[in-house]
C-alpha cells in the first residue's frame, strides 16, 4: 500500500486548500500576507523591540520594505488608524516620518492626529534624526508642522509635555525654533532650554513648580507626576499626588502609592478605587486591557477594594467584546514563543512584564465572559486541559490560562480535536503569533491548520475563522478568504473587527477596509 503521507489525495474536502506560499520564522509552512495586510499588522503589533523570533532591526527593515510597496495614502491612513484605534506609539510615528519623505502633503493632513502629545512629538523627531526613514533633518515641511504643534498648545500644555528625554522637548525646541507669540511663551522656551529668564514672565504653573522644587513644602503643584519623583517627598506629599493624579498615572503608580503609605491615609483606598472603576475616565484614558491585567497581577499588596476596582475596570474596558450568535470556539496559543513580551524586549529597563501568552489568555477569557457557552481550547504542541468558569471574572480566567504556558507550536491541534469529536461551531477564534511548526507534513498541500479548517468547514458550512495575530511576523496559517479574517493587534480595537466579521456579511478585508475608510 502506498505511503499516504506522501501520496495523499486532495480530492473533495481539501480541493480548496491553496499551496503554502511562505515559510514562517519558526520554519513552518505558512501564507504570506499582502503588503497592505502586512503593513497593517506591523502597525498594530510592531514596537521596534526584540520579539521571540525577530529583532528590532528586522522589524524596521520589514516595515520599510512594506512602505515602498503600498501607496502613500494607505501609509497615512494606517498611521492614523494605528494611533487612534490601536493606541500605538513608535510605529505610527515611524509611518509619519516615512511620509515626510514620500508625501509631505499627506503628512500635513495627518500630523496632528498622529503626533498628538509630547511623547509622540519627541518620538517623531528622534526617528527623523536617526535617518531610518530616509532623512536626517526635519527639513522645511516637517519643521513647520512641529512649529504648528507648539503654536496649537497653551503654555501649560507645552510645560506638561516636557517630561521625557532622548530627545527632550528642549531638544525639539532647539531644532524646530518655534516662534513665541507671547512673553510667557518666550520665557517658557528659554526655561526649557536652560536659559536664565525673568521668573515673573514664566507661566504661573512653572513658577509654582520652581518654587516647590526650591523648597518642597506646602501644597504640591499640579504638575506631571514624573517631575516630582526626584524630590524628597513624604506621605502627605505622595497623598496629594495621588489625589490629583489622572487615571493612567494612578494605574501606573499603585505600587508606589502603597510603598509610600498613601493607602494608610483615611479614605484614600476608596478614592482611588472609585477613580479606577469610573467608566468615563477608563474610556478617556484609552487603556489597553492588558495594562489593567498587568496592574492587577502586580497588586498583591494593595487593599482589597483597589484590587476589586481593577477587576471592575477590566469589565468596563472590555465592553465592546462581541457577543456572537451560535457556537463559539476560542483557541489561545500558550506555546513557548508566546512568552515574548507583547511589546517586545527593549533590553535593560522598560520591557513590559506582559507576555503574548498573557494577552492571548486575556482575549480568550474576555470572549468567554461575553459568550458563556463558548469553548476554550488552549494549545501548544497539543490541546491542554483548562477548567474555566464563565461566571468568574476575566482576570481570574486569564490567569488560569496564562499558567499553562510552554512547549512547541501546533496551530492545527485544536481544530484537529474539534474534527475528531465532530463538533459544531459558528465562529472559531485563534489568538496566536502564528508561528506553527510542529504540524508540517511532507506531501501536504497548504498548512495543516487550513486543511483542518477545510474539514471543519465541510461540517459547518456557515462557520467563520478569525486569526488574531499578536506579533509582527507577516505570515499566517490560514489565508484570507470569505470565511477567514486575519487581524493583528492587542488593543480592544481588535474586538471591533471580530464583531463586524462575525455578526455581519462583511468580507475578510474588513480590517484593511477599515483603514482605507479613514478620512484624511
Amino acid at each position: 500500500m502506498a505511503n499516504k503521507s506522501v501520496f495523499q489525495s486532495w480530492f473533495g474536502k481539501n480541493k480548496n486548500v491553496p499551496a503554502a506560499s511562505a515559510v514562517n520564522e519558526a520554519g513552518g509552512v505558512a501564507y504570506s500576507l499582502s503588503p497592505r495586510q502586512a503593513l497593517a499588522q506591523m502597525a498594530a503589533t510592531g514596537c521596534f523591540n526584540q520579539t521571540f523570533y525577530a529583532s528590532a532591526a528586522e522589524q524596521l527593515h520589514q516595515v520599510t520594505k512594506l512602505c515602498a510597496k503600498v501607496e502613500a495614502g494607505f501609509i497615512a491612513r494606517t498611521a492614523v488608524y494605528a494611533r487612534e484605534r490601536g493606541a500605538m506609539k513608535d510605529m505610527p510615528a515611524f509611518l509619519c516620518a516615512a511620509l515626510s519623505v514620500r508625501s509631505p502633503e499627506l503628512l500635513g493632513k495627518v500630523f496632528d492626529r498622529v503626533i498628538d502629545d509630547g511623547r509622540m512629538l519627541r518620538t517623531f523627531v528622534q526617528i527623523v534624526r536617526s535617518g531610518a526613514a530616509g532623512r536626517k533633518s526635519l527639513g522645511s515641511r516637517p519643521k513647520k508642522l512641529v512649529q504648528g504643534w507648539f503654536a496649537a498648545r497653551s503654555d501649560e500644555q507645552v510645560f506638561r509635555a516636557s517630561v521625557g528625554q532622548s530627545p527632550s522637548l528642549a531638544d525639539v525646541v532647539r531644532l524646530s525654533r518655534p516662534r513665541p507669540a507671547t512673553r510667557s511663551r518666550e520665557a517658557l522656551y528659554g526655561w526649557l532650554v536652560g536659559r536664565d529668564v525673568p521668573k515673573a514672565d514664566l507661566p504661573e504653573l512653572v513658577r509654582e513648580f520652581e518654587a516647590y522644587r526650591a523648597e518642597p513644602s506646602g501644597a504640591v503643584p499640579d504638575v506631571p507626576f514624573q517631575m516630582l519623583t526626584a524630590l524628597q517627598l513624604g506621605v502627605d506629599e505622595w497623598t496629594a499626588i495621588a489625589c490629583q493624579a489622572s487615571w493612567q498615572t494612578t494605574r501606573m503608580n499603585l505600587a508606589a502609592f502603597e510603598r509610600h503609605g498613601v493607602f494608610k491615609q483615611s479614605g484614600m483606598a476608596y478614592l482611588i478605587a472609585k477613580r479606577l472603576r469610573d467608566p468615563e475616565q477608563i474610556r478617556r484614558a484609552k487603556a489597553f486591557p492588558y495594562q489593567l491585567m498587568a496592574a492587577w497581577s502586580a497588586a498583591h499588596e494593595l487593599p482589597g477594594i483597589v484590587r476589586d476596582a481593577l477587576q471592575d475596570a477590566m469589565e468596563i474596558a472590555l465592553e465592546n467584546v462581541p457577543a456572537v450568535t451560535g457556537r463559539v470556539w476560542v483557541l489561545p496559543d500558550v506555546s513557548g514563543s508566546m512568552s515574548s513580551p507583547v511589546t517586545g524586549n527593549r533590553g535593560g529597563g522598560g520591557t513590559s512584564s506582559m507576555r503574548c501568552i498573557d494577552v492571548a489568555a486575556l482575549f480568550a477569557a474576555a470572549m468567554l465572559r461575553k459568550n458563556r457557552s463558548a469553548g476554550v481550547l488552549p494549545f501548544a504542541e497539543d490541546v491542554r486541559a483548562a477548567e474555566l468558569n464563565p461566571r468568574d471574572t476575566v482576570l481570574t480566567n486569564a490567569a488560569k490560562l496564562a499558567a499553562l504556558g510552554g512547549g512547541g507550536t501546533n496551530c492545527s491541534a485544536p481544530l484537529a480535536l474539534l474534527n475528531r469529536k465532530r463538533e459544531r461551531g459558528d465562529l472559531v477564534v485563534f489568538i496566536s503569533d502564528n508561528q506553527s511548526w510542529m504540524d508540517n507534513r511532507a506531501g501536504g498541500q497548504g498548512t495543516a491548520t487550513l486543511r483542518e479548517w477545510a474539514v471543519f468547514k465541510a461540517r459547518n458550512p456557515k462557520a467563520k475563522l478569525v486569526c488574531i495575530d499578536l506579533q509582527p511576523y507577516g505570515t499566517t496559517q490560514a489565508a484570507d478568504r470569505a470565511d477567514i479574517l486575519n487581524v493583528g493587534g492587542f488593543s480592544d480595537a481588535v474586538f471591533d473587527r471580530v464583531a463586524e466579521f462575525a455578526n455581519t456579511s462583511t468580507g475578510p478585508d474588513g480590517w484593511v477596509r477599515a483603514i482605507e475608510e479613514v478620512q484624511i
Side-chain angles (χ1 to χ4, degrees), residues 155 180-190 200-204:
D155 290 348
T182 63
R183 181 176 295 180
S184 64
R185 181 60 61 92
E186 182 178 10
L188 176 59
Y189 289 154
D201 291 347
L202 287 169
E204 181 180 358

Side-chain angles (χ1 to χ4, degrees), residues 117-162:
D117 63 22
R119 185 198 188 282
M120 291 297 294
L121 181 70
R122 293 186 297 102
T123 301
F124 171 77
V125 171
Q126 179 184 358
I127 291 172
V128 169
R129 292 177 69 194
S130 74
R135 66 188 309 156
K136 290 190 175 182
S137 63
L138 287 177
S140 58
R141 180 60 171 164
K143 181 181 286 189
K144 288 181 180 179
L145 292 171
V146 173
Q147 291 171 344
W149 187 96
F150 282 103
R153 284 160 176 78
S154 67
D155 290 348
E156 182 174 322
Q157 288 174 321
V158 172
F159 170 70
R160 291 183 178 279
S162 64

Side-chain angles (χ1 to χ4, degrees), residues 424-505:
R424 294 290 177 178
D426 299 283
L427 178 68
V428 178
V429 181
F430 270 98
I431 311 157
S432 175
D433 61 3
N434 276 323
Q435 298 305 297
S436 191
W437 58 273
M438 295 191 71
D439 48 3
N440 283 354
R441 186 171 67 189
Q445 178 174 331
T447 63
T449 299
L450 197 51
R451 293 199 300 271
E452 293 291 349
W453 177 248
V455 177
F456 187 89
K457 184 74 174 177
R459 192 170 61 256
N460 303 277
K462 294 184 179 180
K464 293 182 178 181
L465 174 65
V466 176
C467 300
I468 300 175
D469 200 329
L470 299 180
Q471 294 279 255
Y473 295 130
T475 61
T476 180
Q477 289 295 293
D480 273 5
R481 63 188 197 192
D483 60 328
I484 300 174
L485 170 70
N486 283 280
V487 60
F490 37 82
S491 76
D492 61 353
V494 173
F495 289 121
D496 293 337
R497 304 281 69 81
V498 175
E500 180 185 30
F501 184 65
N503 296 326
T504 70
S505 58

